[in-house]
Amino acid sequence: MNLRDSTPVTINDQPRAEHAHTGAWVAGILRTQIADGQLKPGSRLSEQALATALGVSRNTLREAFTMLAAESIVRRIPNRGVFVAAPGPDDVREIYNVRRAIEPGAVLWGRPSEDALAHMAAIIDQACRARDAGDITAMADANQALHKAIVTLTGSRTLERLMERVLAEMRLIFHAMASMPDFHSHYVERNGELVALLRAGRRQDAAERLRHYLDAAEAELLGHL
């Protein structure tokens, strides 16, 4: 797992809500922070600092940690604490098994409205600008946004929540590829081709292209890890 005993990390204060004092709410905040790249693999999560920042009890925070540990997003190490996970090869295989089961189906049977397709095209534009600027983080952000948009086509909140978990794990994997900017740059073009097929109404071709895309990405990640 290659978790490092680093200085504990904290997060910025979060807006409160009526349900803010639940473990699920806290887990959602931490999951988003991880998916957005604000909490890095191997970072130790300070129980005291997080409880204070979020305005929750330690018991509520521990409940959130339990949820995230079940999702393989954090790891508990006895006598050391809770750490943001650093996924290995087995985790990559599991993530891509899930993605192959969800994303091609979303392309085939989802409901791509004009607004949804325009949103996806805008993401591709952002990705192209990031690639031209050599901005690896922005390319990764655009990639995450596009695949989230693909699953959103299903109109299923259950699948969207599952994809949020997957994207959080994917962000952790992307950190391992930070030294390989070409990994992100050549997927910008693949994402563009996928959106072009969807806009042309060629769903079957898009789903097939996506399956090959996911296979190639998994192989590349496993080769690097």
Side-chain angles (χ1 to χ4, degrees):
M1 291 184 292
N2 193 29
L3 299 181
R4 59 181 185 277
D5 193 2
S6 59
T7 301
V9 298
T10 60
I11 60 176
N12 296 328
D13 290 346
Q14 297 293 324
R16 301 293 185 265
E18 291 182 3
H19 56 288
H21 297 283
T22 68
W25 180 82
V26 175
I29 292 294
L30 295 176
R31 193 183 296 111
T32 298
Q33 294 278 331
I34 292 169
D36 288 345
Q38 296 180 46
L39 296 176
K40 309 293 194 242
S43 299
R44 182 159 64 91
L45 300 176
S46 168
E47 188 175 289
Q48 179 177 352
L50 288 172
T52 299
L54 295 170
V56 299
S57 70
R58 290 195 176 191
N59 283 340
T60 297
L61 188 63
R62 289 166 188 159
E63 180 184 346
F65 285 161
T66 297
M67 294 178 185
L68 295 176
E71 298 171 12
S72 300
I73 293 173
V74 303
R75 301 278 195 267
R76 277 195 173 101
I77 300 181
N79 303 316
R80 289 181 59 192
V82 178
F83 294 78
V84 179
D90 288 343
D91 299 299
V92 170
R93 294 184 185 96
E94 178 62 18
I95 289 167
Y96 276 87
N97 282 338
V98 173
R99 294 187 67 181
R100 275 187 291 266
I102 295 175
E103 293 187 59
V107 166
L108 274 174
W109 300 302
R111 302 177 184 87
S113 67
E114 285 301 319
D115 286 345
L117 292 172
H119 174 59
M120 295 170 79
I123 293 171
I124 297 302
D125 289 342
Q126 293 169 7
C128 290
R129 289 195 295 271
R131 179 193 58 196
D132 295 343
D135 189 335
I136 297 172
T137 299
M139 282 190 283
D141 289 345
N143 185 75
Q144 296 275 87
L146 180 69
H147 289 281
K148 180 177 181 180
I150 287 172
V151 175
T152 299
L153 296 177
T154 65
S156 167
R157 184 59 191 141
T158 299
L159 288 177
E160 288 178 34
R161 284 194 294 265
L162 177 56
M163 194 61 181
E164 287 170 4
R165 291 171 48 182
V166 170
L167 291 176
E169 290 189 79
M170 283 303 306
R171 179 68 72 171
L172 299 177
I173 293 170
F174 283 161
H175 285 294
M177 307 301 287
S179 61
M180 298 181 65
D182 284 349
F183 172 79
H184 296 284
S185 61
H186 65 253
Y187 285 101
V188 171
E189 182 177 350
R190 291 188 181 210
N191 284 337
E193 293 170 351
L194 179 62
V195 172
L197 288 171
L198 279 173
R199 300 192 85 178
R202 297 169 57 188
R203 292 201 194 192
Q204 187 70 48
D205 291 337
E208 187 66 23
R209 183 72 58 89
L210 182 53
R211 280 190 289 268
H212 289 305
Y213 170 124
L214 293 173
D215 288 344
E218 179 187 27
E220 191 169 0
L221 285 167
L222 288 173
H224 179 71
L225 293 174

